[in-house]
Amino acid sequence: MAGMFDAGSSMSRRVYIETVGCQMNVLDSELIAAELSRRGHELVETARKADTILFNTCSVRQHAEDKIYSALGRLKHIKRQRPGTIIGVLGCMAQKDQKLILRRAPHVDLVVGPGRLGQLGELLDRVAAGRRPWIEVSRERSSGDRLAVLASFRPYDPVRHPAARPAPHQAMVRIMSGCDRFCSYCIVPAVRGPEQSRPADRIKAEVRQLADHGCLEVTLLGQTVNSYEDTSGGRRIRLGDLLGRLHDIAGLRRLKFVTNHPRYMTAELIAAVAGLPKVSPYFHVPAQSGSNRILRRMNRGYTVERYREMLAEIGHALGDAAVTSDFIVGFPGETEEDYRQTVGLVRHGRFKNSFIFKYSPRAGTKAAELYEDDVPYKVKQQRNNKLLAIQSEISLEQNEPLIGRQVEILVEGPSKAAQKRPGHGRLVQLVGRTTCDRIVVFQGSRELTGRILSVQIEKVDAFTLFGRLP
Ligand code: SAM
Ligand code: SF4
């Protein structure tokens, strides 16, 4: 991407961006890279080649933060050897920890929260000119003044440069930022700010532009993507309506959306997905727990019975839909009986896949304030492993009927293993995805990257389908 833009800033820098966390962060990093490139900076692939090292961070679990703090610790000597190096911490941890980052890592120059990423280019210039350290964050949500808080979390949706994208045939498009659900364990509402939906016409213009540049698959992003609501044009546009509006864009072949909240999984949305052939019959809709008592403590706003009804509604409208979920094990007060009920929901749900997390207390959340983290780590670990094993069995059972069948995939490119051996033979191992987000690997030529084609499935495991070109 380096050199793609020439509208220069006076101080061109070599920037390395390291990203951890969710798809939102991956998208933010892509947008940051394009914008810094547009300002004349050069993007480099390793920290060693860089004079500006930016971490786009996550604070959903302690582990993600620990990783960043140890990476920052390792950079201390680089700063000593090359004092001109700029080190920046961006994203969720920047908003959450603010000054604490400078206390723990005084060699950090710049701290920028997710609601201030639009200013990053100017801030880098400022820091390069010696005005360090600089902290640029949004207001605390708890500070009371609702409008001032809202204004301080500025959605980061700069104009896309489709030609400068890492995967021209696939794109993520943010349709909303922030979250207003306040699940008791979750830091996201505090660090990403109030829920704000983007106007549908802007989303449509962005998707159209991406499709004009050869993008075949768009994934719409939101923390609770199915609570999307745009009333800016005097009409109420929900996610189902938005999918309808995007569906007819010429060149676009696939539309996906993540992450759904069970509360907003309406009959209208399910019907829209069933009626729009380009929309993937795939729902990532985290349940978090199978126990009503724990769901209440988590402030999730639904019961297990309602969640099961929702699964039945999806199954009824779209028999072959893939549903995936997230679960947290070891939430405060989770008994063996609560856990048993979660196991029951995993078995009943027959999810294509589930992400399973051990509860991690987050300072500033209700759960951390109200409940003791009383499930021992060892028990969390055991519950996590057992649930993973059960889910893997189910994932395998879901994949087995695909053996001998042809599935349609979008080819994403050489697998990680093949990337490590560039130019090794004419055929390489390629990776593609089905419309239901199943990963398929097969042998083919690199030129197939970005094509939608059929692959014959010969073998499966819990996570991957192995195929060949028919
Ligand atoms: N907005 C999405 C949702 O509501 O499902 C995803 C938010 S979060 C980035 C992704 C997942 O992390 C959640 O679904 C939850 O399972 C998990 N998570 C969030 N906070 C957590 C915590 N404090 N400890 C462990 N897991 C957590
Ligand atoms: Fe966090 Fe809940 Fe919002 Fe998802 S819906 S981001 S889990 S508060």
Side-chain angles (χ1 to χ4, degrees), residues 316-351:
H316 193 249
L318 289 138
D320 58 350
V323 180
T324 58
S325 186
D326 293 351
F327 288 93
I328 296 176
V329 293
F331 186 80
E334 185 187 71
T335 61
E336 275 302 319
E337 174 54 23
D338 294 316
Y339 174 67
R340 210 185 50 74
Q341 291 176 10
T342 297
V343 170
L345 182 57
V346 169
R347 289 199 193 283
H348 170 89
R350 302 204 55 75
F351 301 105

PDB file of all heavy atoms in Angstrom, residues 316-351:
ATOM      1  N   HIS A 316     -36.866 -22.790  11.054  1.00  0.00           N
ATOM      2  CA  HIS A 316     -38.110 -22.903  10.307  1.00  0.00           C
ATOM      3  C   HIS A 316     -38.031 -22.133   8.991  1.00  0.00           C
ATOM      4  O   HIS A 316     -38.421 -22.607   7.932  1.00  0.00           O
ATOM      5  CB  HIS A 316     -39.250 -22.359  11.177  1.00  0.00           C
ATOM      6  CG  HIS A 316     -40.582 -22.710  10.658  1.00  0.00           C
ATOM      7  ND1 HIS A 316     -41.437 -21.770  10.124  1.00  0.00           N
ATOM      8  CD2 HIS A 316     -41.203 -23.896  10.544  1.00  0.00           C
ATOM      9  CE1 HIS A 316     -42.533 -22.377   9.706  1.00  0.00           C
ATOM     10  NE2 HIS A 316     -42.416 -23.661   9.955  1.00  0.00           N
ATOM     11  N   ALA A 317     -37.466 -20.925   9.062  1.00  0.00           N
ATOM     12  CA  ALA A 317     -37.398 -20.075   7.858  1.00  0.00           C
ATOM     13  C   ALA A 317     -36.261 -20.491   6.940  1.00  0.00           C
ATOM     14  O   ALA A 317     -36.352 -20.349   5.722  1.00  0.00           O
ATOM     15  CB  ALA A 317     -37.240 -18.619   8.267  1.00  0.00           C
ATOM     16  N   LEU A 318     -35.183 -20.980   7.519  1.00  0.00           N
ATOM     17  CA  LEU A 318     -33.968 -21.263   6.738  1.00  0.00           C
ATOM     18  C   LEU A 318     -33.376 -22.566   7.246  1.00  0.00           C
ATOM     19  O   LEU A 318     -32.440 -22.563   8.049  1.00  0.00           O
ATOM     20  CB  LEU A 318     -32.927 -20.156   6.985  1.00  0.00           C
ATOM     21  CG  LEU A 318     -33.172 -18.785   6.399  1.00  0.00           C
ATOM     22  CD1 LEU A 318     -32.810 -17.718   7.397  1.00  0.00           C
ATOM     23  CD2 LEU A 318     -32.324 -18.620   5.149  1.00  0.00           C
ATOM     24  N   GLY A 319     -33.882 -23.664   6.793  1.00  0.00           N
ATOM     25  CA  GLY A 319     -33.476 -24.966   7.306  1.00  0.00           C
ATOM     26  C   GLY A 319     -31.980 -25.177   7.358  1.00  0.00           C
ATOM     27  O   GLY A 319     -31.452 -25.756   8.303  1.00  0.00           O
ATOM     28  N   ASP A 320     -31.263 -24.661   6.338  1.00  0.00           N
ATOM     29  CA  ASP A 320     -29.830 -24.968   6.267  1.00  0.00           C
ATOM     30  C   ASP A 320     -28.960 -23.830   6.803  1.00  0.00           C
ATOM     31  O   ASP A 320     -27.764 -23.778   6.532  1.00  0.00           O
ATOM     32  CB  ASP A 320     -29.433 -25.277   4.822  1.00  0.00           C
ATOM     33  CG  ASP A 320     -29.765 -24.115   3.892  1.00  0.00           C
ATOM     34  OD1 ASP A 320     -30.466 -23.178   4.351  1.00  0.00           O
ATOM     35  OD2 ASP A 320     -29.330 -24.137   2.729  1.00  0.00           O
ATOM     36  N   ALA A 321     -29.548 -22.927   7.585  1.00  0.00           N
ATOM     37  CA  ALA A 321     -28.762 -21.797   8.096  1.00  0.00           C
ATOM     38  C   ALA A 321     -27.702 -22.297   9.078  1.00  0.00           C
ATOM     39  O   ALA A 321     -27.905 -23.293   9.778  1.00  0.00           O
ATOM     40  CB  ALA A 321     -29.659 -20.797   8.804  1.00  0.00           C
ATOM     41  N   ALA A 322     -26.584 -21.591   9.122  1.00  0.00           N
ATOM     42  CA  ALA A 322     -25.555 -21.896  10.121  1.00  0.00           C
ATOM     43  C   ALA A 322     -25.683 -20.874  11.236  1.00  0.00           C
ATOM     44  O   ALA A 322     -25.745 -19.672  10.977  1.00  0.00           O
ATOM     45  CB  ALA A 322     -24.178 -21.817   9.490  1.00  0.00           C
ATOM     46  N   VAL A 323     -25.748 -21.363  12.472  1.00  0.00           N
ATOM     47  CA  VAL A 323     -25.795 -20.459  13.621  1.00  0.00           C
ATOM     48  C   VAL A 323     -24.538 -20.693  14.448  1.00  0.00           C
ATOM     49  O   VAL A 323     -24.153 -21.841  14.689  1.00  0.00           O
ATOM     50  CB  VAL A 323     -27.056 -20.703  14.481  1.00  0.00           C
ATOM     51  CG1 VAL A 323     -27.084 -19.755  15.679  1.00  0.00           C
ATOM     52  CG2 VAL A 323     -28.324 -20.536  13.649  1.00  0.00           C
ATOM     53  N   THR A 324     -23.883 -19.595  14.834  1.00  0.00           N
ATOM     54  CA  THR A 324     -22.721 -19.708  15.712  1.00  0.00           C
ATOM     55  C   THR A 324     -22.971 -18.864  16.960  1.00  0.00           C
ATOM     56  O   THR A 324     -23.825 -17.981  16.960  1.00  0.00           O
ATOM     57  CB  THR A 324     -21.427 -19.239  15.004  1.00  0.00           C
ATOM     58  OG1 THR A 324     -21.607 -17.883  14.587  1.00  0.00           O
ATOM     59  CG2 THR A 324     -21.097 -20.095  13.807  1.00  0.00           C
ATOM     60  N   SER A 325     -22.214 -19.184  18.023  1.00  0.00           N
ATOM     61  CA  SER A 325     -22.491 -18.528  19.300  1.00  0.00           C
ATOM     62  C   SER A 325     -21.201 -18.235  20.060  1.00  0.00           C
ATOM     63  O   SER A 325     -20.140 -18.740  19.705  1.00  0.00           O
ATOM     64  CB  SER A 325     -23.396 -19.433  20.136  1.00  0.00           C
ATOM     65  OG  SER A 325     -23.788 -18.783  21.320  1.00  0.00           O
ATOM     66  N   ASP A 326     -21.322 -17.392  21.083  1.00  0.00           N
ATOM     67  CA  ASP A 326     -20.252 -17.195  22.065  1.00  0.00           C
ATOM     68  C   ASP A 326     -20.794 -17.640  23.418  1.00  0.00           C
ATOM     69  O   ASP A 326     -21.986 -17.447  23.703  1.00  0.00           O
ATOM     70  CB  ASP A 326     -19.894 -15.706  22.235  1.00  0.00           C
ATOM     71  CG  ASP A 326     -19.258 -15.072  21.013  1.00  0.00           C
ATOM     72  OD1 ASP A 326     -18.917 -15.792  20.065  1.00  0.00           O
ATOM     73  OD2 ASP A 326     -19.118 -13.836  21.020  1.00  0.00           O
ATOM     74  N   PHE A 327     -19.918 -18.195  24.259  1.00  0.00           N
ATOM     75  CA  PHE A 327     -20.285 -18.540  25.638  1.00  0.00           C
ATOM     76  C   PHE A 327     -19.193 -18.062  26.577  1.00  0.00           C
ATOM     77  O   PHE A 327     -18.005 -18.119  26.234  1.00  0.00           O
ATOM     78  CB  PHE A 327     -20.461 -20.057  25.801  1.00  0.00           C
ATOM     79  CG  PHE A 327     -21.702 -20.569  25.130  1.00  0.00           C
ATOM     80  CD1 PHE A 327     -21.650 -21.047  23.821  1.00  0.00           C
ATOM     81  CD2 PHE A 327     -22.923 -20.546  25.784  1.00  0.00           C
ATOM     82  CE1 PHE A 327     -22.806 -21.496  23.189  1.00  0.00           C
ATOM     83  CE2 PHE A 327     -24.079 -20.997  25.156  1.00  0.00           C
ATOM     84  CZ  PHE A 327     -24.016 -21.478  23.859  1.00  0.00           C
ATOM     85  N   ILE A 328     -19.603 -17.615  27.747  1.00  0.00           N
ATOM     86  CA  ILE A 328     -18.642 -17.286  28.805  1.00  0.00           C
ATOM     87  C   ILE A 328     -18.818 -18.324  29.907  1.00  0.00           C
ATOM     88  O   ILE A 328     -19.946 -18.521  30.384  1.00  0.00           O
ATOM     89  CB  ILE A 328     -18.898 -15.874  29.375  1.00  0.00           C
ATOM     90  CG1 ILE A 328     -18.679 -14.812  28.287  1.00  0.00           C
ATOM     91  CG2 ILE A 328     -17.989 -15.614  30.577  1.00  0.00           C
ATOM     92  CD1 ILE A 328     -18.995 -13.392  28.727  1.00  0.00           C
ATOM     93  N   VAL A 329     -17.724 -18.993  30.270  1.00  0.00           N
ATOM     94  CA  VAL A 329     -17.809 -19.941  31.395  1.00  0.00           C
ATOM     95  C   VAL A 329     -17.130 -19.322  32.611  1.00  0.00           C
ATOM     96  O   VAL A 329     -16.221 -18.490  32.487  1.00  0.00           O
ATOM     97  CB  VAL A 329     -17.178 -21.315  31.077  1.00  0.00           C
ATOM     98  CG1 VAL A 329     -17.959 -22.052  30.017  1.00  0.00           C
ATOM     99  CG2 VAL A 329     -15.709 -21.176  30.680  1.00  0.00           C
ATOM    100  N   GLY A 330     -17.623 -19.715  33.792  1.00  0.00           N
ATOM    101  CA  GLY A 330     -17.017 -19.228  35.029  1.00  0.00           C
ATOM    102  C   GLY A 330     -17.430 -17.816  35.383  1.00  0.00           C
ATOM    103  O   GLY A 330     -16.715 -17.117  36.116  1.00  0.00           O
ATOM    104  N   PHE A 331     -18.597 -17.383  34.882  1.00  0.00           N
ATOM    105  CA  PHE A 331     -19.123 -16.079  35.306  1.00  0.00           C
ATOM    106  C   PHE A 331     -19.379 -16.156  36.818  1.00  0.00           C
ATOM    107  O   PHE A 331     -19.710 -17.227  37.337  1.00  0.00           O
ATOM    108  CB  PHE A 331     -20.426 -15.782  34.547  1.00  0.00           C
ATOM    109  CG  PHE A 331     -20.962 -14.406  34.802  1.00  0.00           C
ATOM    110  CD1 PHE A 331     -20.434 -13.306  34.146  1.00  0.00           C
ATOM    111  CD2 PHE A 331     -21.985 -14.200  35.729  1.00  0.00           C
ATOM    112  CE1 PHE A 331     -20.905 -12.034  34.396  1.00  0.00           C
ATOM    113  CE2 PHE A 331     -22.464 -12.931  35.989  1.00  0.00           C
ATOM    114  CZ  PHE A 331     -21.925 -11.840  35.326  1.00  0.00           C
ATOM    115  N   PRO A 332     -19.224 -15.033  37.561  1.00  0.00           N
ATOM    116  CA  PRO A 332     -19.402 -15.097  39.016  1.00  0.00           C
ATOM    117  C   PRO A 332     -20.707 -15.787  39.413  1.00  0.00           C
ATOM    118  O   PRO A 332     -21.774 -15.480  38.873  1.00  0.00           O
ATOM    119  CB  PRO A 332     -19.425 -13.621  39.421  1.00  0.00           C
ATOM    120  CG  PRO A 332     -18.586 -12.949  38.390  1.00  0.00           C
ATOM    121  CD  PRO A 332     -18.837 -13.699  37.109  1.00  0.00           C
ATOM    122  N   GLY A 333     -20.574 -16.729  40.330  1.00  0.00           N
ATOM    123  CA  GLY A 333     -21.754 -17.436  40.847  1.00  0.00           C
ATOM    124  C   GLY A 333     -22.174 -18.609  39.982  1.00  0.00           C
ATOM    125  O   GLY A 333     -23.154 -19.282  40.297  1.00  0.00           O
ATOM    126  N   GLU A 334     -21.461 -18.892  38.879  1.00  0.00           N
ATOM    127  CA  GLU A 334     -21.867 -20.006  38.012  1.00  0.00           C
ATOM    128  C   GLU A 334     -21.630 -21.333  38.743  1.00  0.00           C
ATOM    129  O   GLU A 334     -20.491 -21.704  39.046  1.00  0.00           O
ATOM    130  CB  GLU A 334     -21.078 -19.987  36.692  1.00  0.00           C
ATOM    131  CG  GLU A 334     -21.549 -21.051  35.712  1.00  0.00           C
ATOM    132  CD  GLU A 334     -20.650 -21.148  34.481  1.00  0.00           C
ATOM    133  OE1 GLU A 334     -19.497 -21.626  34.617  1.00  0.00           O
ATOM    134  OE2 GLU A 334     -21.090 -20.747  33.395  1.00  0.00           O
ATOM    135  N   THR A 335     -22.718 -22.059  39.019  1.00  0.00           N
ATOM    136  CA  THR A 335     -22.608 -23.346  39.712  1.00  0.00           C
ATOM    137  C   THR A 335     -22.470 -24.458  38.681  1.00  0.00           C
ATOM    138  O   THR A 335     -22.635 -24.232  37.474  1.00  0.00           O
ATOM    139  CB  THR A 335     -23.885 -23.611  40.529  1.00  0.00           C
ATOM    140  OG1 THR A 335     -24.983 -23.645  39.592  1.00  0.00           O
ATOM    141  CG2 THR A 335     -24.131 -22.540  41.572  1.00  0.00           C
ATOM    142  N   GLU A 336     -22.225 -25.675  39.177  1.00  0.00           N
ATOM    143  CA  GLU A 336     -22.182 -26.839  38.272  1.00  0.00           C
ATOM    144  C   GLU A 336     -23.508 -26.954  37.536  1.00  0.00           C
ATOM    145  O   GLU A 336     -23.541 -27.299  36.354  1.00  0.00           O
ATOM    146  CB  GLU A 336     -21.908 -28.116  39.075  1.00  0.00           C
ATOM    147  CG  GLU A 336     -20.446 -28.393  39.333  1.00  0.00           C
ATOM    148  CD  GLU A 336     -19.612 -28.500  38.050  1.00  0.00           C
ATOM    149  OE1 GLU A 336     -20.070 -29.100  37.047  1.00  0.00           O
ATOM    150  OE2 GLU A 336     -18.484 -27.963  38.040  1.00  0.00           O
ATOM    151  N   GLU A 337     -24.619 -26.658  38.223  1.00  0.00           N
ATOM    152  CA  GLU A 337     -25.937 -26.774  37.606  1.00  0.00           C
ATOM    153  C   GLU A 337     -26.097 -25.727  36.472  1.00  0.00           C
ATOM    154  O   GLU A 337     -26.582 -26.037  35.397  1.00  0.00           O
ATOM    155  CB  GLU A 337     -27.036 -26.600  38.677  1.00  0.00           C
ATOM    156  CG  GLU A 337     -28.465 -26.548  38.150  1.00  0.00           C
ATOM    157  CD  GLU A 337     -28.849 -27.738  37.270  1.00  0.00           C
ATOM    158  OE1 GLU A 337     -28.229 -28.811  37.370  1.00  0.00           O
ATOM    159  OE2 GLU A 337     -29.785 -27.561  36.440  1.00  0.00           O
ATOM    160  N   ASP A 338     -25.645 -24.477  36.732  1.00  0.00           N
ATOM    161  CA  ASP A 338     -25.709 -23.452  35.672  1.00  0.00           C
ATOM    162  C   ASP A 338     -24.897 -23.921  34.462  1.00  0.00           C
ATOM    163  O   ASP A 338     -25.330 -23.790  33.313  1.00  0.00           O
ATOM    164  CB  ASP A 338     -25.129 -22.121  36.173  1.00  0.00           C
ATOM    165  CG  ASP A 338     -25.960 -21.494  37.275  1.00  0.00           C
ATOM    166  OD1 ASP A 338     -27.188 -21.479  37.150  1.00  0.00           O
ATOM    167  OD2 ASP A 338     -25.362 -21.039  38.274  1.00  0.00           O
ATOM    168  N   TYR A 339     -23.706 -24.434  34.746  1.00  0.00           N
ATOM    169  CA  TYR A 339     -22.830 -24.880  33.669  1.00  0.00           C
ATOM    170  C   TYR A 339     -23.480 -26.034  32.891  1.00  0.00           C
ATOM    171  O   TYR A 339     -23.435 -26.076  31.651  1.00  0.00           O
ATOM    172  CB  TYR A 339     -21.476 -25.293  34.247  1.00  0.00           C
ATOM    173  CG  TYR A 339     -20.565 -25.911  33.216  1.00  0.00           C
ATOM    174  CD1 TYR A 339     -20.058 -25.157  32.161  1.00  0.00           C
ATOM    175  CD2 TYR A 339     -20.226 -27.261  33.284  1.00  0.00           C
ATOM    176  CE1 TYR A 339     -19.246 -25.727  31.194  1.00  0.00           C
ATOM    177  CE2 TYR A 339     -19.400 -27.832  32.329  1.00  0.00           C
ATOM    178  CZ  TYR A 339     -18.915 -27.065  31.288  1.00  0.00           C
ATOM    179  OH  TYR A 339     -18.125 -27.630  30.332  1.00  0.00           O
ATOM    180  N   ARG A 340     -24.123 -26.938  33.637  1.00  0.00           N
ATOM    181  CA  ARG A 340     -24.798 -28.072  32.998  1.00  0.00           C
ATOM    182  C   ARG A 340     -25.868 -27.559  32.024  1.00  0.00           C
ATOM    183  O   ARG A 340     -26.070 -28.094  30.936  1.00  0.00           O
ATOM    184  CB  ARG A 340     -25.439 -28.946  34.093  1.00  0.00           C
ATOM    185  CG  ARG A 340     -25.533 -30.425  33.766  1.00  0.00           C
ATOM    186  CD  ARG A 340     -26.281 -31.196  34.844  1.00  0.00           C
ATOM    187  NE  ARG A 340     -27.571 -30.596  35.221  1.00  0.00           N
ATOM    188  CZ  ARG A 340     -28.676 -30.625  34.479  1.00  0.00           C
ATOM    189  NH1 ARG A 340     -28.663 -31.241  33.325  1.00  0.00           N
ATOM    190  NH2 ARG A 340     -29.777 -30.047  34.895  1.00  0.00           N
ATOM    191  N   GLN A 341     -26.536 -26.475  32.417  1.00  0.00           N
ATOM    192  CA  GLN A 341     -27.559 -25.906  31.540  1.00  0.00           C
ATOM    193  C   GLN A 341     -26.931 -25.291  30.278  1.00  0.00           C
ATOM    194  O   GLN A 341     -27.513 -25.325  29.197  1.00  0.00           O
ATOM    195  CB  GLN A 341     -28.382 -24.868  32.302  1.00  0.00           C
ATOM    196  CG  GLN A 341     -29.247 -25.528  33.373  1.00  0.00           C
ATOM    197  CD  GLN A 341     -29.998 -24.521  34.219  1.00  0.00           C
ATOM    198  OE1 GLN A 341     -30.046 -23.338  33.935  1.00  0.00           O
ATOM    199  NE2 GLN A 341     -30.603 -25.012  35.292  1.00  0.00           N
ATOM    200  N   THR A 342     -25.729 -24.723  30.425  1.00  0.00           N
ATOM    201  CA  THR A 342     -25.021 -24.206  29.242  1.00  0.00           C
ATOM    202  C   THR A 342     -24.672 -25.353  28.296  1.00  0.00           C
ATOM    203  O   THR A 342     -24.867 -25.260  27.078  1.00  0.00           O
ATOM    204  CB  THR A 342     -23.749 -23.435  29.672  1.00  0.00           C
ATOM    205  OG1 THR A 342     -24.159 -22.304  30.441  1.00  0.00           O
ATOM    206  CG2 THR A 342     -22.941 -22.966  28.478  1.00  0.00           C
ATOM    207  N   VAL A 343     -24.178 -26.449  28.884  1.00  0.00           N
ATOM    208  CA  VAL A 343     -23.872 -27.634  28.072  1.00  0.00           C
ATOM    209  C   VAL A 343     -25.157 -28.062  27.341  1.00  0.00           C
ATOM    210  O   VAL A 343     -25.136 -28.372  26.135  1.00  0.00           O
ATOM    211  CB  VAL A 343     -23.328 -28.788  28.949  1.00  0.00           C
ATOM    212  CG1 VAL A 343     -23.241 -30.089  28.160  1.00  0.00           C
ATOM    213  CG2 VAL A 343     -21.953 -28.413  29.517  1.00  0.00           C
ATOM    214  N   GLY A 344     -26.274 -28.023  28.042  1.00  0.00           N
ATOM    215  CA  GLY A 344     -27.559 -28.400  27.443  1.00  0.00           C
ATOM    216  C   GLY A 344     -27.899 -27.513  26.244  1.00  0.00           C
ATOM    217  O   GLY A 344     -28.351 -28.001  25.211  1.00  0.00           O
ATOM    218  N   LEU A 345     -27.638 -26.227  26.379  1.00  0.00           N
ATOM    219  CA  LEU A 345     -27.960 -25.319  25.265  1.00  0.00           C
ATOM    220  C   LEU A 345     -27.024 -25.560  24.076  1.00  0.00           C
ATOM    221  O   LEU A 345     -27.455 -25.511  22.917  1.00  0.00           O
ATOM    222  CB  LEU A 345     -27.880 -23.855  25.727  1.00  0.00           C
ATOM    223  CG  LEU A 345     -28.244 -22.818  24.659  1.00  0.00           C
ATOM    224  CD1 LEU A 345     -29.652 -23.055  24.098  1.00  0.00           C
ATOM    225  CD2 LEU A 345     -28.134 -21.401  25.199  1.00  0.00           C
ATOM    226  N   VAL A 346     -25.751 -25.830  24.372  1.00  0.00           N
ATOM    227  CA  VAL A 346     -24.809 -26.113  23.271  1.00  0.00           C
ATOM    228  C   VAL A 346     -25.257 -27.376  22.527  1.00  0.00           C
ATOM    229  O   VAL A 346     -25.287 -27.410  21.288  1.00  0.00           O
ATOM    230  CB  VAL A 346     -23.361 -26.256  23.809  1.00  0.00           C
ATOM    231  CG1 VAL A 346     -22.426 -26.801  22.736  1.00  0.00           C
ATOM    232  CG2 VAL A 346     -22.856 -24.911  24.310  1.00  0.00           C
ATOM    233  N   ARG A 347     -25.663 -28.395  23.282  1.00  0.00           N
ATOM    234  CA  ARG A 347     -26.109 -29.637  22.621  1.00  0.00           C
ATOM    235  C   ARG A 347     -27.394 -29.390  21.834  1.00  0.00           C
ATOM    236  O   ARG A 347     -27.543 -29.849  20.706  1.00  0.00           O
ATOM    237  CB  ARG A 347     -26.350 -30.734  23.666  1.00  0.00           C
ATOM    238  CG  ARG A 347     -25.072 -31.265  24.302  1.00  0.00           C
ATOM    239  CD  ARG A 347     -25.340 -32.631  24.951  1.00  0.00           C
ATOM    240  NE  ARG A 347     -24.260 -33.063  25.820  1.00  0.00           N
ATOM    241  CZ  ARG A 347     -23.110 -33.567  25.399  1.00  0.00           C
ATOM    242  NH1 ARG A 347     -22.886 -33.732  24.108  1.00  0.00           N
ATOM    243  NH2 ARG A 347     -22.191 -33.946  26.264  1.00  0.00           N
ATOM    244  N   HIS A 348     -28.314 -28.627  22.427  1.00  0.00           N
ATOM    245  CA  HIS A 348     -29.584 -28.367  21.762  1.00  0.00           C
ATOM    246  C   HIS A 348     -29.381 -27.491  20.514  1.00  0.00           C
ATOM    247  O   HIS A 348     -29.987 -27.723  19.474  1.00  0.00           O
ATOM    248  CB  HIS A 348     -30.541 -27.670  22.744  1.00  0.00           C
ATOM    249  CG  HIS A 348     -31.779 -27.153  22.096  1.00  0.00           C
ATOM    250  ND1 HIS A 348     -32.925 -27.913  21.964  1.00  0.00           N
ATOM    251  CD2 HIS A 348     -32.050 -25.962  21.492  1.00  0.00           C
ATOM    252  CE1 HIS A 348     -33.840 -27.210  21.336  1.00  0.00           C
ATOM    253  NE2 HIS A 348     -33.340 -26.030  21.029  1.00  0.00           N
ATOM    254  N   GLY A 349     -28.507 -26.461  20.649  1.00  0.00           N
ATOM    255  CA  GLY A 349     -28.355 -25.464  19.577  1.00  0.00           C
ATOM    256  C   GLY A 349     -27.695 -26.028  18.330  1.00  0.00           C
ATOM    257  O   GLY A 349     -27.893 -25.520  17.240  1.00  0.00           O
ATOM    258  N   ARG A 350     -26.909 -27.081  18.494  1.00  0.00           N
ATOM    259  CA  ARG A 350     -26.185 -27.667  17.358  1.00  0.00           C
ATOM    260  C   ARG A 350     -25.533 -26.572  16.502  1.00  0.00           C
ATOM    261  O   ARG A 350     -25.722 -26.497  15.290  1.00  0.00           O
ATOM    262  CB  ARG A 350     -27.094 -28.578  16.517  1.00  0.00           C
ATOM    263  CG  ARG A 350     -27.687 -29.699  17.367  1.00  0.00           C
ATOM    264  CD  ARG A 350     -28.095 -30.930  16.610  1.00  0.00           C
ATOM    265  NE  ARG A 350     -27.070 -31.543  15.785  1.00  0.00           N
ATOM    266  CZ  ARG A 350     -26.054 -32.273  16.234  1.00  0.00           C
ATOM    267  NH1 ARG A 350     -25.889 -32.460  17.521  1.00  0.00           N
ATOM    268  NH2 ARG A 350     -25.188 -32.817  15.402  1.00  0.00           N
ATOM    269  N   PHE A 351     -24.771 -25.726  17.203  1.00  0.00           N
ATOM    270  CA  PHE A 351     -24.136 -24.604  16.525  1.00  0.00           C
ATOM    271  C   PHE A 351     -23.077 -25.093  15.545  1.00  0.00           C
ATOM    272  O   PHE A 351     -22.440 -26.125  15.779  1.00  0.00           O
ATOM    273  CB  PHE A 351     -23.486 -23.667  17.553  1.00  0.00           C
ATOM    274  CG  PHE A 351     -24.472 -23.124  18.548  1.00  0.00           C
ATOM    275  CD1 PHE A 351     -24.508 -23.607  19.851  1.00  0.00           C
ATOM    276  CD2 PHE A 351     -25.393 -22.157  18.178  1.00  0.00           C
ATOM    277  CE1 PHE A 351     -25.420 -23.125  20.769  1.00  0.00           C
ATOM    278  CE2 PHE A 351     -26.312 -21.668  19.093  1.00  0.00           C
ATOM    279  CZ  PHE A 351     -26.330 -22.154  20.385  1.00  0.00           C
TER     280      PHE A 351
END
